[in-house]
Amino acid sequence: MALVSVEDLSIVFGGLAALSGVTLEVDEGEIFALIGPNGAGKTTVFNVLSGLYRPSAGRIAYAGEDLLRLAPHEIARRGVGRTFQNTEVFRQLSALDNVLIGEHARLRSGVWSGALALPWVRREEAAARQRALGLLGRLGLGEAAGVEAGSLPLGSQKRLEIARALASEPRLLLLDEPAGGLNPTETRALMAVICSLRDELGLTIMVVEHDMDLVMSISDRIAVLDYGRKIAEGKPREIAADPVVIEAYLGRDEGGA
Ligand SMILES: Nc1ncnc2c1ncn2[C@@H]1O[C@H](COP(=O)(O)OP(=O)(O)O)[C@@H](O)[C@H]1O
Ligand SMILES: [Mg+2]
């Protein structure tokens, strides 16, 4: 069953077609990679899916609903979580507080009513804290809970961003270049984390990534974008052997994701 169904999606920025007629379906429980050279339109797909960009044309169904009728906060409430290509943690807050901010998007009490110290608010806060600590542990950041996020190594900041996205209990998680800037050891740890989110939490995951080892080993299916058009889609083995992909992308020296 498709959780996300993107049909004929186009978006134009000042005369430049960033996406042209892109159609793709992502099944519930799938790890689906979007790859392609820089500027191909990968982040733009995520920005449309999270409601930040309005497309010029096309339709998107998410869990049976018309996603393009929803505001960004409504999309988030329906379980679309994401991370950003440029890591965006709150640098001066602790790792734990970074995750709690993700939880507050969902809690009844909100960020400020905690100050009222009503019993149910305090119970909710305590439960939120436990969940946040659990998420940090899942992402290998258990020791870093009290550490200022900005002082963590990049690999940890990237995992912290994923923990924060998970705090809102997403059903669909969009990861934009999660391995960007990571060393091979950190990348391998990240791959295990991503697979566990699908295998243990049942998430559907869309990932944009430059690291071909990561893409080829964790993805169920891959779509390739080039100049805003989808030029190929298939299983990793099919994509790696597709002459159109090799010509348009994998064969180019400049790299890209
Ligand atoms: N907000 C925007 N305003 C103008 N141009 C944009 C905007 N967002 C993306 N673009 C352009 O759309 C194209 C695709 O961008 P992007 O989706 O970020 O590519 P990718 O993530 O594949 O590297 C690029 O040419 C980029 O400059
Ligand atoms: Mg991008």
Side-chain angles (χ1 to χ4, degrees), residues 13-14 16-19 36-45 47 53 85 176-177 208 210 225 257:
F13 294 113
L16 172 104
L19 294 174
N38 285 324
K42 306 176 301 291
T43 296
T44 299
V45 171
N47 285 341
Y53 290 175
Q85 186 169 341
D176 199 347
E177 302 199 14
V208 166
H210 283 269
L225 295 181

